Amino acid sequence: MTETNSCDTKLLLIRGFDIFQHITEEEYEELDLVHNFLEASDGEYIYFPFQNHNKLYFAKDGFIKLGYIDEQGTEVIKEIIQKGEVFGQLTLEKNNDQDEFAQAYKSDVSLCAFTMEDFLKILHRKPELAIAFSFHLGNKLRKVENRLLNILNKDVKSRLVQLFLQLAADNKGINGNIATIERFLTHEDIAKLIGSSRQTVTTTLNQFEKQNLISFSKKLVTINDVVSFKKIAEAVN
C-alpha cells in the first residue's frame, strides 16, 4: 500500500466522511489529526488474520472484502465494505487481534487510517465526534445483526431481497419505486453473504428477472418495482 501525507490533501479527504465533514481548517490543526491516507490495488491485502494492526479504517473509495478462512480452508465473506464505511479495530481496544482479513475487492481502494491511540485522543478532545462515531457504529452493527437474523430466520428469496434493498439504501440508490445497485458482487459472493449456494442465487435472480422485478446491465442491477420486491420478503416470512 502507498501513503499520502500532504496536509491539504488529507484534510480534503477526511471531510468526505460524515463524522468529519464539518471539521474546519482551524479545528483540523487544533485537533492535530494524525492519520494516513492509504491506497491499495485490487486484490491487495490491507491486513491479515490475527495481525496486530491496531488501526481503524475509513473507506474513501472502492470496495473492501472482510472475511476469514474456516476450519475446512474455505473463504467466508463477513462483509463487503463500501465508500464511507468504517472497519478494522471497531472495539477501540488496543492490541485486540481479530481473525479476519481485509482485501481490496474488484477495484483499487483508498482509505484513511488512524491508530487507536490517535483516534481516541480525537474523541476525548471533541465529544461531538464521539457521538457521531457512536451513531455510525450503531448503524453498522444493526445492519450486521439484521443480516445474521435474516440468515437464521428467512429463506433464500427473502435474504436476497433484503441484501439488495440494503445495498441500494447504503448507496442512496432508491428513487421512488425504482432502485439501482452497482453491479460489483459475483453470484458466488452474494451466496456467501446470505448463507446460500451460487446455484440457488443464480436460479432465484433468474426468476426475479423473468418476473421483471429486476434487470441487469453491465454495471448496474435495477430493481424495477421496489414495493413488489419488498412484498416478496414479507410473503415468505
Side-chain angles (χ1 to χ4, degrees):
M1 290 187 291
T2 57
E3 294 187 12
T4 298
N5 290 306
S6 164
C7 182
D8 291 339
T9 300
K10 289 164 68 176
L11 175 56
L12 179 64
L13 289 166
I14 203 169
R15 278 182 177 160
F17 300 102
D18 289 345
I19 71 169
F20 295 113
Q21 63 181 340
H22 299 301
I23 291 287
T24 65
E25 292 184 18
E26 290 76 15
E27 287 176 321
Y28 183 88
E29 296 293 338
E30 177 187 348
L31 290 170
D32 190 24
L33 292 183
V34 180
H35 63 95
N36 295 314
F37 175 62
L38 309 175
E39 292 181 315
S41 301
D42 180 20
E44 186 177 358
Y45 284 90
I46 297 158
Y47 55 80
F48 298 96
F50 299 108
Q51 178 184 353
N52 181 17
H53 55 87
N54 192 34
K55 286 185 179 179
L56 188 68
Y57 299 87
F58 291 81
K60 179 65 180 174
D61 285 303
F63 304 99
I64 298 96
K65 176 169 65 177
L66 302 184
Y68 65 93
I69 306 300
D70 67 15
E71 294 179 355
Q72 287 71 44
T74 303
E75 179 184 272
V76 178
I77 299 178
K78 296 169 62 175
E79 191 177 0
I80 301 293
I81 299 295
Q82 302 182 59
K83 179 180 178 179
E85 293 190 79
V86 61
F87 67 102
Q89 203 79 18
L90 296 180
T91 61
L92 302 185
E93 296 175 10
K94 186 177 179 180
N95 300 327
N96 182 19
D97 294 345
Q98 302 180 75
D99 65 351
E100 72 179 21
F101 64 79
Q103 183 183 25
Y105 176 82
K106 298 294 182 183
S107 65
D108 296 347
V109 302
S110 56
L111 314 161
C112 289
F114 294 86
T115 66
M116 284 299 93
E117 294 85 352
D118 290 330
F119 193 70
L120 286 172
K121 287 177 184 176
I122 295 168
L123 298 186
H124 281 304
R125 296 174 65 182
K126 196 169 179 63
E128 305 97 291
L129 289 181
I131 294 172
F133 180 73
S134 68
F135 275 111
H136 185 100
L137 192 58
N139 289 333
K140 178 183 178 66
L141 294 177
R142 195 174 303 112
K143 286 192 294 185
V144 172
E145 181 181 14
N146 288 338
R147 185 161 65 85
L148 291 175
L149 288 173
N150 286 338
I151 291 174
L152 290 172
N153 300 319
K154 298 182 178 181
D155 71 359
V156 172
K157 275 190 177 181
S158 181
R159 286 180 243 161
L160 196 51
V161 167
Q162 296 291 350
L163 175 64
F164 274 38
L165 290 173
Q166 185 63 63
L167 289 171
D170 289 345
N171 290 279
K172 298 180 175 60
I174 300 178
N175 184 11
N177 199 35
I178 296 176
T180 56
I181 306 161
E182 186 174 347
R183 193 174 181 179
F184 65 94
L185 289 170
T186 66
H187 288 191
E188 180 70 28
D189 291 337
I190 292 172
K192 290 178 180 179
L193 282 167
I194 67 172
S196 182
S197 68
R198 182 199 58 78
Q199 183 177 2
T200 302
V201 167
T202 299
T203 300
T204 306
L205 289 176
N206 287 340
Q207 290 174 353
F208 288 164
E209 190 172 21
K210 287 179 181 178
Q211 295 169 328
N212 199 34
L213 289 168
I214 61 176
S215 55
F216 299 94
S217 68
K218 187 175 181 180
K219 295 184 177 180
L220 292 176
V221 178
T222 301
I223 301 173
N224 299 314
D225 187 341
V226 172
V227 173
S228 296
F229 206 55
K230 288 180 178 178
K231 286 181 179 178
I232 291 175
E234 295 169 357
V236 297
N237 288 340

